[in-house]
Amino acid sequence: MKAIQLISLQHELGMSIGLDLHLQTMLKEFTKVCIRQLGLVSVHYYFLQVEDGDAVLPNTDDKAKIRHLLSIPKKSESDQGYELSSAINKILGDGNKHFSTRNKETDEYIYYLALDNIGIIALHKFHTPIDDIIFEVLTPILKKLTISCQASIEHQHLLHAIEARKKAEEAINHLAFHDELTGLPNRRLFMDSLTKELSRSQRHGFLGAVLFLDVNRFKVINDTLGHATGDQLLMTIAEILTSIVRTEDTVARLSGDEFVIQFSRIAGNYSDARKAIQSVLDKIHRVFSEPIRAGEHLLHVTLSVGVEIYPNGNASADDILHHADTAMYQVKTHSSSVSLFYDKQLSADLTLRLALEKELRVAVKNPEQFELLYQPQYTANGICTGAEALIRWNNPDRGVISPAIFIPIAEESGLMLAIGQWVTRQACEDLEGLIKKGVPKTFNKLSINVSPVQFSQENFVPSLLSIIKEKSVPPEMLGIELTESTLIKNIGEVVDIISELREQGITTSIDDFGTGYSSLQYLSCLPIETLKIDQAFVRNIHSDIGNRAIVDAIMALGNSLELNIIAEGVETGEEFACLKNLECKHYQGYFFDRPMPYDNFLTLICNNSVLS
Ligand code: C2E
Ligand code: CA
Ligand code: CA
């Protein structure tokens, strides 16, 4: 009977081991059976290596390190294994399998049993000792428990390692797909998500959009306020953009001050999609009309935004991003608006622009591709009193290209200074030729157009003077034409430069007059000589009452300031007649002559002199 009881005890204890691979759970299962079958009060486990409350496989025999791991029921303060240290010595040191103590007063027994290489288990019992025979039954059980504990610890260790590795991988993943500064998805993740969204939208017929946003003048902020402020600004912008969009939309930072937003499933048709995006653009615009905090600074920040709605034919995710970028670039360089929707023309424009810029760089090194044409200026009775030099670019592949197209490109790409130098030098050389040929007394002046880029150069005046000197032409026969936009900047400086030129004999005309915003007062400060009425006001002046009123006013203004006035772009006899009626004195336009090559101009001037 006793034998059967022992076998069943052994069986039940054995069964409770290793049911759960988790160490603590397994020990709890085992302990429950122990307590029930052996009539214990509590069971305590002490392990050789315990870190942060978890058992660890011991790698040294650092016995002093033995620590409490678990008590069931939960250990109370008074219940410290008071004989633990001698138990450790006896069991782990002397190699005894078990060791027990008895408190006679309380009639309390504690049995310490070895868990080989792992630690000690303490059984706590009252009143009746545990039969020796039970310990024999327990011996194989403890062996099994030890092995299972080892397995559990290893298993747990493995789980920890896997967990840690997963975390590390996640961190690396995050770094690989996110921008470190703002935590936003980076280009890779963005393109990935856009590619998926694009094919989804193609399948389901929903439209989405990509916004390409660039912070205007970010470089200036970065350079003047420092990179730390620049970084803070970027972080704030990232937060703002994220707060504006829905959770299903993706805000990403591509690089530097470039952000993109992908809006998925915004509408079922193009016009609704445009409306939806327009309202987002309005929102962005509203938010950015307030100053933005970057560290200790409050900054006014504007964005240039390009938009592409997708799907767009077979355009790939790369194409879509490129289109949005193209539209943004257009906003940045040309448009007065803050955002633009992409259309095919933009891409064609940009491609042509980039090609022209490249070719213009070649032309600057081979200036024979440039030519100066001359357009004569006449008095009402046909005397040629001057001429304007107008540049042409004879592009070897594309033919003649208008300055209206390539001058803005030259100005933006830094090529204008070289081109301006060439113009000045060529005009002086031509003037020199003209003088040599015997220029008529009625011919006063050759004018060149000066770009704001040239005018704002510190060495503008000395460099102009040195060319005049080099070609030994009389400075009073050279004039410069400036547009109002050149003059609007810093009045004091502008007045100084124009005065300096005037002292040297070089006169200044204001070009395209009426299209800028020069105030009367402003105009009266400037030591200029001539106003050129913009051809837009000359157009149909005989029938257009508005234009006539404007020209009339400009004439009155010019006369009161004792300025010369030239009407530009006179195309017809009617326009000429009307201007003559308004007592305009000087004319330039197709009605008289188109801009012509130098040789033709030379011939014309000589004949004109004969006529007069
Ligand atoms: P702009 O200075 O206002 O020059 C007058 C423009 O009007 C010239 O165009 C001229 O050919 C054109 N034009 C003259 N008469 C008529 C007319 O009766 N009807 C019409 N429709 N047009 C007329 P162009 O030569 O194409 O030059 C365009 C602009 O390019 C110039 O406008 C000027 O701003 C700029 N430009 C030309 N040459 C130079 C240059 O050497 N340097 C700089 N910085 N700019 C230049
Ligand atoms: Ca001009
Ligand atoms: Ca003009």
Side-chain angles (χ1 to χ4, degrees):
M1 192 58 201
K2 181 111 182 166
I4 292 178
Q5 267 179 351
L6 289 176
I7 290 171
S8 117
L9 166 73
Q10 200 175 37
H11 180 72
E12 209 185 330
L13 284 171
M15 287 301 287
S16 64
I17 296 172
L19 286 181
D20 195 313
L21 264 179
H22 189 255
L23 180 68
Q24 302 246 351
T25 322
M26 179 184 71
L27 292 179
K28 277 176 196 160
E29 279 306 310
F30 174 73
T31 309
K32 257 195 282 177
V33 181
C34 264
I35 288 176
R36 179 158 39 84
Q37 289 288 0
L38 304 175
L40 306 175
V41 190
S42 62
V43 177
H44 311 272
Y45 295 89
Y46 299 91
F47 272 47
L48 272 177
Q49 196 87 35
V50 177
E51 281 172 16
D52 302 330
D54 261 336
V56 182
L57 279 189
N59 41 19
T60 60
D61 336 51
D62 187 1
K63 282 162 196 136
K65 249 194 166 174
I66 197 155
R67 296 260 164 74
H68 172 255
L69 176 74
L70 178 71
S71 288
I72 295 162
K74 237 176 161 188
K75 200 169 91 170
S76 69
E77 281 306 310
S78 61
D79 211 3
Q80 304 291 337
Y82 42 80
E83 289 293 342
L84 188 60
S85 55
S86 50
I88 291 168
N89 288 336
K90 285 259 182 312
I91 294 176
L92 300 175
D94 306 346
N96 290 355
K97 282 294 166 207
H98 53 84
F99 167 82
S100 61
T101 61
R102 182 183 176 207
N103 182 334
K104 282 200 182 103
E105 275 171 37
T106 54
D107 202 16
E108 190 181 355
Y109 298 86
I110 298 179
Y111 297 91
Y112 295 96
L113 314 173
L115 290 173
D116 281 341
N117 301 321
I118 286 200
I120 291 171
I121 169 170
L123 310 178
H124 187 185
K125 196 172 184 309
F126 274 112
H127 310 307
T128 46
I130 295 175
D131 203 331
D132 268 355
I133 197 159
I134 301 275
F135 285 110
E136 269 169 47
V137 172
L138 281 181
T139 308
I141 297 292
L142 291 178
K143 209 168 238 153
K144 188 179 175 191
L145 183 65
T146 307
I147 294 168
S148 286
C149 280
Q150 266 167 341
S152 285
I153 294 171
E154 258 164 42
H155 172 72
Q156 217 160 299
H157 182 70
L158 212 67
L159 286 185
H160 277 313
I162 291 172
E163 188 66 22
R165 197 198 176 113
K166 229 166 92 187
K167 277 209 179 110
E169 273 170 7
E170 273 168 16
I172 290 170
N173 244 351
H174 190 85
L175 268 186
F177 291 104
H178 290 80
D179 164 43
E180 225 178 316
L181 178 69
T182 60
L184 291 178
N186 64 10
R187 181 185 291 265
R188 265 170 80 183
L189 184 53
F190 179 79
M191 288 315 286
D192 211 51
S193 121
L194 179 59
T195 308
K196 285 185 196 131
E197 264 310 307
L198 184 59
S199 78
R200 231 172 274 152
S201 78
Q202 274 156 342
R203 269 201 314 278
H204 301 297
F206 268 106
L207 298 182
V210 169
L211 263 61
F212 200 111
L213 310 103
D214 190 287
V215 184
N216 295 329
R217 298 176 56 249
F218 179 72
K219 199 179 146 12
V220 178
I221 294 171
N222 222 16
D223 289 351
T224 53
L225 300 179
H227 289 246
T229 306
D231 282 356
Q232 274 163 335
L233 178 63
L234 292 175
M235 287 192 274
T236 314
I237 291 175
E239 271 168 33
I240 293 175
L241 294 179
T242 310
S243 73
I244 284 175
V245 304
R246 308 166 300 176
T247 41
E248 60 263 44
D249 305 323
T250 311
V251 180
R253 178 172 171 230
L254 289 194
S255 65
D257 58 343
E258 290 175 343
F259 292 86
V260 274
I261 310 179
Q262 177 218 310
F263 294 90
S264 18
R265 296 175 160 248
I266 41 172
N269 65 62
Y270 192 81
S271 101
D272 287 350
R274 243 187 117 107
K275 270 187 222 145
I277 290 303
Q278 192 54 56
S279 76
V280 173
L281 291 170
D282 292 344
K283 202 163 164 187
I284 292 176
H285 185 63
R286 259 201 316 279
V287 174
F288 280 89
S289 62
E290 301 284 325
I292 287 176
R293 181 160 289 288
E296 63 204 51
H297 303 277
L298 271 178
L299 304 171
H300 266 289
V301 175
T302 56
L303 302 176
S304 296
V305 188
V307 184
E308 162 81 329
I309 290 175
Y310 65 78
N312 179 358
N314 287 328
S316 67
D318 279 330
D319 295 337
I320 301 287
L321 184 67
H322 182 66
H323 291 168
D325 187 6
T326 304
M328 183 285 291
Y329 186 76
Q330 195 75 13
V331 170
K332 192 149 243 175
T333 51
H334 291 295
S335 168
S336 50
S337 63
V338 288
S339 54
L340 253 186
F341 285 81
Y342 172 81
D343 74 48
K344 282 206 183 75
Q345 193 51 42
L346 286 185
S347 216
D349 286 355
L350 187 68
T351 313
L352 176 65
R353 221 197 101 87
L354 291 174
L356 286 180
E357 183 183 324
K358 211 166 136 197
E359 290 162 25
L360 199 54
R361 278 184 201 286
V362 177
V364 165
K365 295 209 177 85
N366 302 278
E368 65 277 3
Q369 288 186 23
F370 295 123
E371 185 187 359
L372 279 188
L373 299 188
Y374 291 91
Q375 188 175 33
Q377 294 157 341
Y378 292 98
T379 59
N381 53 3
I383 297 170
C384 178
T385 52
E388 176 179 7
L390 294 159
I391 192 172
R392 294 291 177 269
W393 175 18
N394 298 314
N395 183 297
D397 300 320
R398 302 177 198 267
V400 180
I401 297 181
S402 152
I405 290 175
F406 75 84
I407 293 286
I409 299 177
E411 288 175 333
E412 271 162 36
S413 56
L415 297 167
M416 191 59 228
L417 293 180
I419 294 175
Q421 287 264 330
W422 179 85
V423 169
T424 312
R425 191 162 273 124
Q426 189 59 48
C428 287
E429 208 171 297
D430 290 348
L431 182 57
E432 192 190 3
L434 209 65
I435 294 167
K436 275 198 183 129
K437 195 111 200 214
V439 69
K441 282 205 173 58
T442 44
F443 184 87
N444 300 322
K445 198 171 55 183
L446 204 60
S447 298
I448 56 171
N449 291 285
V450 169
S451 147
V453 175
Q454 293 168 267
F455 189 78
S456 61
Q457 287 296 301
E458 228 168 75
N459 67 347
F460 170 65
V461 177
S463 126
L464 183 64
L465 292 176
S466 95
I467 296 173
I468 290 175
K469 208 166 170 189
E470 178 191 318
K471 301 291 173 193
S472 53
V473 292
E476 39 310 327
M477 284 196 76
L478 194 78
I480 63 164
E481 294 190 3
L482 302 172
T483 54
E484 283 175 272
S485 61
T486 315
L487 308 172
I488 224 120
K489 307 255 153 75
N490 177 346
I491 176 117
E493 250 171 68
V494 168
V495 169
D496 286 350
I497 297 170
I498 296 178
S499 310
E500 198 182 339
L501 289 172
R502 197 180 192 166
E503 272 165 34
Q504 301 290 332
I506 302 163
T507 51
T508 301
S509 308
I510 297 194
D511 208 352
D512 305 343
F513 187 75
T515 57
Y517 304 94
S518 349
S519 67
L520 252 182
Q521 200 183 9
Y522 188 90
L523 201 62
S524 63
C525 306
L526 292 172
I528 54 163
E529 195 211 33
T530 306
L531 284 186
K532 296 187 77 175
I533 302 174
D534 191 71
Q535 51 178 287
F537 305 121
V538 169
R539 195 64 57 245
N540 296 321
I541 187 166
H542 52 286
S543 57
D544 187 323
I545 305 167
N547 273 355
R548 193 157 59 227
I550 292 171
V551 172
D552 209 9
I554 295 175
M555 298 286 303
L557 171 67
N559 287 334
S560 74
L561 294 172
E562 296 179 356
L563 299 174
N564 252 335
I565 295 169
I566 302 182
E568 267 198 302
V570 184
E571 286 187 351
T572 64
E574 286 107 323
E575 286 169 355
F576 172 50
C578 184
L579 287 160
K580 210 155 75 171
N581 260 337
L582 292 172
E583 293 180 17
C584 181
K585 302 258 167 11
H586 297 273
Y587 307 85
Q588 180 183 342
Y590 294 172
F591 178 66
F592 304 92
D593 286 305
R594 289 191 172 244
M596 61 188 76
Y598 176 64
D599 289 343
N600 300 18
F601 176 61
L602 214 57
T603 318
L604 178 138
I605 271 288
C606 295
N607 292 343
N608 185 266
S609 118
V610 170
L611 279 179
S612 61

